[in-house]
Amino acid sequence: PPRWKSSEPGACSAVCGFGVAQRTVTCVKNHAGLDTVVEDGLCTEEEKPPSLVQCLVNICPLGWHALKDTSALEYPRDPDDPHDAAWKKTHLYVWSPVIGECSVTCGTGTAEVRYVCMDFDSRAETLEEHCDQVPKPATRPEVCNTKPCPPS
């Protein structure tokens, strides 16, 4: 019998935190061991999975907590989705990058970027075990201070 088949979700809409991702949902029928796309009308509409699915970015980019426009950080609510309220009530902790001092005052240098566990809502640093659902990202160098040195 025909059935719905979902693709893997695409990129998450969130910069950091909860977002949505698009996936393709097609009606397929198995024919000789291969799924063949058939007309949507052959599948049961009530059983069709949503094409928008919830996603989570919990390793955030530099500067995410200073964004003025937080719309990219908000999970778009769907009033018809009973899971939505529970999803939004989930307490969220994310790995947030912290950049150290630049190795030079002029010319190109490097700074160490380390990650701290942060409460998404309060933007306060918290215990690392709150973030342990995702491994802590490794400390990494970042290029800094690209302004040239004055002529000597």
Side-chain angles (χ1 to χ4, degrees):
R3 61 181 169 79
W4 293 108
K5 185 176 182 177
S6 306
S7 69
E8 283 298 310
C12 192
S13 64
V15 173
C16 179
F18 294 121
V20 289
Q22 181 91 37
R23 67 180 177 180
T24 308
V25 179
T26 50
C27 183
V28 296
K29 190 172 185 169
N30 195 304
H31 182 70
L34 292 172
D35 283 339
T36 309
V37 176
V38 294
E39 225 176 281
D40 278 5
L42 297 174
C43 285
T44 313
E45 191 60 38
E46 294 78 47
E47 293 174 4
K48 185 176 184 178
S51 57
L52 286 179
V53 291
Q54 296 153 337
C55 57
L56 172 62
V57 176
N58 49 10
I59 298 175
C60 301
L62 275 167
W64 72 270
H65 52 296
L67 288 173
K68 295 284 179 278
D69 175 16
T70 58
S71 62
L73 303 174
E74 289 301 310
Y75 171 65
R77 289 183 259 315
D78 177 356
D80 299 328
D81 185 352
H83 301 100
D84 208 58
W87 179 262
K88 200 60 189 158
K89 284 189 187 89
T90 305
H91 207 92
L92 178 60
Y93 298 99
V94 295
W95 288 112
S96 183
V98 175
I99 193 160
E101 286 287 306
C102 193
S103 60
V104 295
T105 52
C106 66
T108 304
T110 56
E112 190 178 85
V113 176
R114 63 185 180 86
Y115 286 82
V116 296
C117 185
M118 198 172 266
D119 180 310
F120 182 80
D121 294 320
S122 72
R123 310 283 200 264
E125 195 172 328
T126 186
L127 299 170
E128 286 195 359
E129 51 259 31
H130 290 309
C131 287
D132 65 8
Q133 73 276 16
V134 172
K136 183 178 182 175
T139 296
R140 60 180 171 81
E142 177 94 358
V143 172
C144 59
N145 236 5
T146 52
K147 65 177 188 269
C149 292
S152 45

